[in-house]
Amino acid sequence: SDYVSLCYRMPGKFGKIKRANVVQDVNSFKRNINLYVLSENKDGNFTVGNQTIKENLRTWLNRHRMVNDTVDILDGKIINIGINFEVLGDLDINRFELLQRCTQHLKDKFLKVKRNIGEAVYISEIFKILNDVPGVTDTIAVELVNKAGGVYSEYVFDIRSNLSDDGRFLKIPSDSVAEILLPDLDISGVVK
């Protein structure tokens, strides 16, 4: 959407929007648009933007928005998830080293790019990445788990009820983003 690209084009001196998503408000009589935004903290993890950034964004968008549009700037929700996996290793493989390789492979290939707000998490992609690790005979299981509270987001998300019917991907609401906050803790595997 044009509003999303406008968010990303806001000059850095006004603050930085890391991810944005536009959702047409169907309950609105006017052309009301809900704009969900997230920033990132110094560690590169998602965070809710502060009031100053949102005010700057409002001013920036007001210069460029369609006359009939009303835009509500809302905080995106952060769904922290973890990955539990189980792989079958080659017979003569060092299990500890294989486990490290699998985890590193997921960090390098699956976590390279931050997800967009509303972007699904493809479990089938995790299977493929793990099956490509040298020494893995087969990936037996991949489970996504919700991490909430403490250092994680407070958002409790029901993984099971949001899986696709075939279990190949996790549906993410259009106001939320999925993030693995602490890869060293949140990616956990077993080699059989």
Side-chain angles (χ1 to χ4, degrees):
S1 160
D2 293 347
Y3 286 107
V4 172
S5 56
L6 276 171
C7 286
Y8 298 148
R9 288 204 316 260
M10 181 171 74
K13 63 183 178 188
F14 298 127
K16 184 139 173 47
I17 299 296
K18 183 64 180 177
R19 288 290 181 261
N21 196 27
V22 167
V23 179
Q24 192 78 39
D25 189 344
V26 290
N27 300 325
S28 161
F29 294 113
K30 302 189 296 280
R31 286 183 43 179
N32 195 50
I33 291 168
N34 290 336
L35 178 63
Y36 295 97
V37 295
L38 287 166
S39 294
E40 70 179 355
N41 63 17
K42 62 180 175 19
D43 299 323
N45 295 313
F46 287 121
T47 185
V48 168
N50 64 35
Q51 209 49 49
T52 306
I53 289 174
K54 287 184 276 197
E55 288 304 319
N56 290 345
L57 180 60
R58 178 172 313 289
T59 304
W60 172 251
L61 290 177
N62 279 340
R63 292 185 198 158
H64 303 281
R65 73 179 170 82
M66 300 288 289
V67 176
N68 298 337
D69 286 350
T70 57
V71 179
D72 290 333
I73 298 172
L74 304 165
D75 293 327
K77 295 185 184 119
I78 301 164
I79 301 168
N80 289 131
I81 58 171
I83 300 173
N84 296 338
F85 67 88
E86 193 176 320
V87 295
L88 190 59
D90 293 345
L91 287 174
D92 56 349
I93 202 86
N94 177 319
R95 287 191 160 105
F96 180 72
E97 285 176 11
L98 183 58
L99 189 58
Q100 284 185 311
R101 272 205 307 269
C102 287
T103 305
Q104 193 58 50
H105 226 66
L106 284 171
K107 287 181 194 172
D108 293 346
K109 302 258 192 287
F110 195 69
L111 302 183
K112 193 57 104 200
V113 177
K114 289 280 186 189
R115 300 194 169 282
N116 287 312
I117 297 176
E119 182 182 348
V121 177
Y122 286 90
I123 297 165
S124 52
E125 185 186 348
I126 299 170
F127 271 92
K128 184 180 174 332
I129 289 168
L130 290 170
N131 281 335
D132 285 346
V133 176
V136 170
T137 305
D138 194 21
T139 301
I140 301 165
V142 171
E143 178 194 24
L144 299 180
V145 291
N146 181 219
K147 305 271 188 175
V151 295
Y152 300 103
S153 155
E154 294 299 316
Y155 187 15
V156 176
F157 188 71
D158 184 352
I159 301 273
R160 187 162 287 127
S161 70
N162 286 288
L163 283 174
S164 62
D165 292 340
D166 61 8
R168 289 170 58 178
F169 66 93
L170 178 65
K171 295 176 275 195
I172 301 294
S174 56
D175 65 350
S176 305
V177 71
E179 176 181 58
I180 295 177
L181 183 65
L182 306 170
D184 293 332
L185 293 174
D186 299 342
I187 298 176
S188 162
V190 175
V191 175
K192 290 262 164 143

